[in-house]
Each structure stands twice: as structure tokens, then as C-alpha cells.
Amino acid sequence: MLKRHARTACTALAAAGLLLAGTGGATADSAPAAPSAATTLRTADAPPELLAAMQRDLGLTPTQAKARLAHEAEAGATAARLRDRLGAAFAGAWVDGADAATLTVATTRAADTAAIRATGATARLVPRALADLDSAKAALDRAATAGTPVRYVDPRSNTLVVEEAEPGAAARLLAATGTDAALVTVVRTAETPRPLHDLRGGDAYYMNGSGRCSVGFPVTKGTVNGFATAGHCGRAGTTTSGFNQVAQGSFQASVFPGNDMAWVAANTQWTSTPYVKGSGGANVQVTGSVLQPVGASVCRSGSTTGWHCGTIQQHNTSVTYPEGTISGVTRTTVCAEPGDSGGSYISGSQAQGVTSGGSGNCSSGGTTFFQPLNPILSAYGLTLKVTGSDPGPGPGPGPGEPEPGGTWKAGTVYAAGATVTHGGASYRCLQGHQAQPGWEPPNVPALWQRL
């Protein structure tokens, strides 16, 4: 885990995957076209610092960096709609190409391939559903040791990958759990993921006047300001001071291992802002918390190594640290070092999660894992601090239609598959996110599907 302090504007890798929605103009007699995923997630407003880091770390041209953010938003939404349509046959989705222009969606049912191709995506027919591989991984997680430090489902190979640090460790794990070896790809690794601690100074927050971590995402809870961060950075009651060593607040809740989540309530001297610290200290805006798909770009801000970018490799990964196993984290190619723990991962302007741990460094490269942000917001009743992203009022009710209302509520964290009512209609959530004013279901078809 990478500990160090970061100011209230600390970072997170934002993610957003939205559906391919039309953006054509409206005639005088038609309703305005629904906003596209890229419009909803404001990919065109990406700050120069984020684009520059993507160019540096991903080897992109300026045009490719801008196009990639838009393509990732649309691909995420398309994949979410197909996941809902394919149901139990869904076997994962990912993006490829320098500008992420190629979306591939896998299914176990041949009859689905035409529907997948009709969206512009590439169809892949595979033998195993994502849910079946996830179930097998859960059994491995319960018995895993440091000899098999990382387990994840790889949708590209349609297998369950087990990283083996000791010869024979994977075979012993499969035998102990009765797991079919045909489901598993074993990868030898010399890396040992660990929490990344550091006591050196830097742009960070300090725990009990000593250890250092990085601020994740500024949040509020009622009238209280604070921030989300990694659970391994402190326990409930641990006091914190800011980057300037001024008294800051204290941990209110923390979970580690199992998950790696916590939040700190700040005193009245500190105010939450909707920013992550980017390259050169510039503010990078946060406008939401929509999680990006596998293959999407993501950037990290931390108090040791600053601003770096990479791609999302797998979601729902399990990692066994010396302190125990954490599950549900996302694996990335972004580098990090001690003191970066707790810091922000952001994709475009969408918050992704907080730095948990990893291996390697930012000189030779490495692998990192982040705890997704939405479960933290949901677990502790927090509201992510975002900049104004209201796309404007949606179409008003027609003659005889009810006024908007229902079970949808701003501030609620919705998981994919959740259902709500609004304006007399029912909707299903396509992509997990925290609802905010302006993101009412009729306004954001990239996030909600009318039933």
C-alpha cells in the first residue's frame, strides 16, 4: 500500500463506461436527442494534464488520447447494455487499440453473436460464462495463501488466472478446493504484492504524526467534510495531519484485510473540493464515479510518485498480502511506490478507486490494485464531491403523464442491475455509479435503461 499525504484535492482514477447513444440533432417536432455516454461523462473536458500523462505513459498522440476517452465511455455503456441483454450467457467485455476503438463482448451462446455485432462490437463465442468463473475464483480465494498471491478472471482468455509465487502452489490450491484445472491458467510470478508504506515527507497526509498515505477522493457526510482512502492506512480513531502538518481529522471507519477501505472526517479547517492533484499540482476535475471497462485507460495520483497512467487489466481481483486477503479490487498497469497508498485513480473525470498496493515501481514498471470507490461511498454513506455536471433539465412530462418522482434518489450508490422508478417509469441501472442531480434516469441512457 502506498502511504503518503495529499491535499484535499487528491486524486482518483475515474472510470466511466457508457453506451453508444446517438447524438444526432432534433427536429422541431421531435424531443431532443438523449446525451451520448461521452457527453454525459464530459470526456471532451479532459484537462491537459490528464491528456499529457496518457500520451506519456500509454504512448498516444494527442488525438488518440482524446478519442480514447470518448471511445471508452461509449464502449462501457454498450457493454453494460449487452451484459443486461445476455444475462447468464455474458462472459465479459474489453476494449483494444491505441484509441480503444474496438469493443469485444464474449458470450457462451452462439445465438447472441448477431445482437453483439449489431451494436458495432466484436462478438467472441467462449465456453465459460463470467459468473461461473467468478464462482470458481471465490472458492480459490477462501483457501489462497501467499504462494498464490493474485487470482482474477481474464475475459480475453476465458480462464481463471492464478499467479504462482512458489512452484506447485497453484496445483496445491486447485487440489484443496477441487477446482477443475481446465478452468485455470497458471502464471509464474516473482512479484510479491504488498501494502506500500513510507515515512518520507511529501504531498500527503500523516497518521498519528508518523506514517504517510495519500488522500483518495474528497467526500462529504451531511455537513462534515472528509476523504475516502485505503483501510490499511489507519484504524478508526487514528488521527491525521495534512500535507502541511496541520491537524486535519481522524479515521471514522476502516476495513482491512477483506477490503481496503476507510474514510477520514476532517475538522473545520479543511474543505472538500471536487479535484484530484494532477501533473504539476494542477487540479483535475471529478464529475462522477462510473467504473470503466477492462482495457480502459486510468490515471493515478499519489504523494510519492505523482501522476501516472496505465490501463485497467481486471476487475474483481483478489490479492493476498502478508496481512491477509482482499477481494473485489481492480488490477492495473499503473505504477506506484510506498506513500502512494490511498491515492486516487481516475478515468477521464470519473473517480475509479483508491490505491491499495502492488509490486514494482515507477522506474522499472509494476502492477497496482485499487479498491473501487463506489463500495466505499455506499458502505459509509458518503457523497463524492463533484464539479457541476448537470446536463440541464430533461424533457418535461407530457399531457396526462405524472410529474417526476419515484424511488430514484440523488446521492444513492446504484450497482449494475438495480431497479428504480422515476416519473412513473421503471429503469434498470447499467453501470454502477453514485447518483447526482442532473443524472436522473431519463437524462442519462448511458447509465439507465427504461424497462
Side-chain angles (χ1 to χ4, degrees):
M1 301 171 186
L2 305 171
K3 294 185 176 182
R4 289 193 187 172
H5 71 107
R7 11 181 115 199
T8 324
C10 280
T11 72
L13 297 170
L18 299 179
L19 58 77
L20 295 170
T23 56
T27 66
D29 297 325
S30 65
S36 70
T39 298
T40 299
L41 299 186
R42 299 172 60 184
T43 64
D45 297 335
E49 295 78 17
L50 184 145
L51 295 171
M54 291 176 65
Q55 293 167 49
R56 178 195 68 200
D57 295 340
L58 298 177
L60 305 178
T61 67
T63 298
Q64 287 174 328
K66 293 178 182 178
R68 181 168 187 133
L69 292 176
H71 289 158
E72 289 169 351
E74 304 298 349
T78 300
R81 288 186 176 277
L82 287 170
R83 178 187 60 211
D84 184 63
R85 177 171 180 171
L86 303 184
F90 179 73
W94 60 94
V95 294
D96 287 305
D99 59 359
T102 302
L103 168 66
T104 301
V105 177
T107 179
T108 60
R109 201 164 45 209
D112 294 330
T113 57
I116 293 171
R117 294 189 185 105
T119 68
T122 298
R124 176 79 60 82
L125 187 62
V126 297
R128 308 175 189 94
L130 182 63
D132 294 334
L133 291 172
D134 280 340
S135 178
K137 187 182 78 69
L140 297 185
D141 290 346
R142 290 189 289 270
T145 66
T148 51
V150 178
R151 288 84 53 204
Y152 57 84
V153 172
D154 178 20
R156 289 182 170 93
S157 65
N158 192 230
T159 63
L160 172 55
V161 177
V162 175
E163 293 191 358
E164 179 184 69
E166 303 168 0
R172 292 191 293 273
L173 178 61
L174 299 189
T177 57
T179 301
D180 183 357
L183 301 178
V184 177
T185 297
V186 178
V187 176
R188 288 284 292 141
T189 180
E191 298 180 350
T192 305
R194 76 237 184 252
L196 300 172
H197 306 276
D198 200 325
L199 299 181
R200 293 173 296 175
D203 188 9
Y205 71 90
Y206 298 83
M207 299 79 70
N208 289 335
S210 56
R212 175 169 59 86
C213 271
S214 300
V215 172
F217 291 92
V219 299
T220 59
K221 185 168 186 175
T223 60
V224 177
N225 291 282
F227 58 88
T229 190
H232 73 267
C233 289
R235 296 299 184 217
T238 298
T239 60
T240 67
S241 55
F243 67 96
N244 51 8
Q245 296 287 10
V246 171
Q248 181 187 66
S250 63
F251 278 72
Q252 302 299 294
S254 175
V255 176
F256 179 77
N259 296 118
D260 198 358
M261 60 174 69
W263 85 281
V264 172
N267 60 40
T268 55
Q269 291 180 285
W270 298 81
T271 301
S272 295
T273 68
Y275 306 117
V276 162
K277 184 178 180 181
S279 178
N283 289 334
V284 175
Q285 295 187 12
V286 177
T287 65
S289 61
V290 183
L291 197 63
Q292 282 286 33
V294 169
S297 60
V298 67
C299 299
R300 178 194 55 74
S301 178
S303 61
T304 298
T305 58
W307 186 254
H308 289 274
C309 299
T311 59
I312 292 173
Q313 293 185 295
Q314 287 87 25
H315 294 301
N316 193 27
T317 300
S318 296
V319 184
T320 300
Y321 295 136
E323 296 86 346
T325 295
I326 61 170
S327 298
V329 292
T330 295
R331 182 172 180 257
T332 82
T333 64
V334 186
C335 69
E337 296 180 10
D340 288 328
S341 273
S344 318
Y345 281 78
I346 190 166
S347 179
S349 64
Q350 297 297 306
Q352 299 300 289
V354 300
T355 305
S356 173
S359 55
N361 56 52
C362 287
S363 296
S364 60
T367 297
T368 54
F369 306 91
F370 69 76
Q371 163 70 57
L373 179 64
N374 285 328
I376 305 177
L377 301 177
S378 180
Y380 302 134
L382 307 173
T383 299
L384 178 65
K385 191 73 174 179
V386 298
T387 58
S389 57
D390 189 336
E401 293 182 351
E403 289 294 326
T407 59
W408 181 90
K409 184 179 180 181
T412 301
V413 176
Y414 291 106
T419 58
V420 299
T421 58
H422 186 276
S426 296
Y427 296 84
R428 179 180 291 112
C429 179
L430 295 173
Q431 300 184 89
H433 66 284
Q434 183 169 60
Q436 55 183 281
W439 280 13
E440 291 80 4
N443 294 351
V444 283
L447 301 179
W448 293 98
Q449 181 177 32
R450 183 165 177 163
L451 301 179

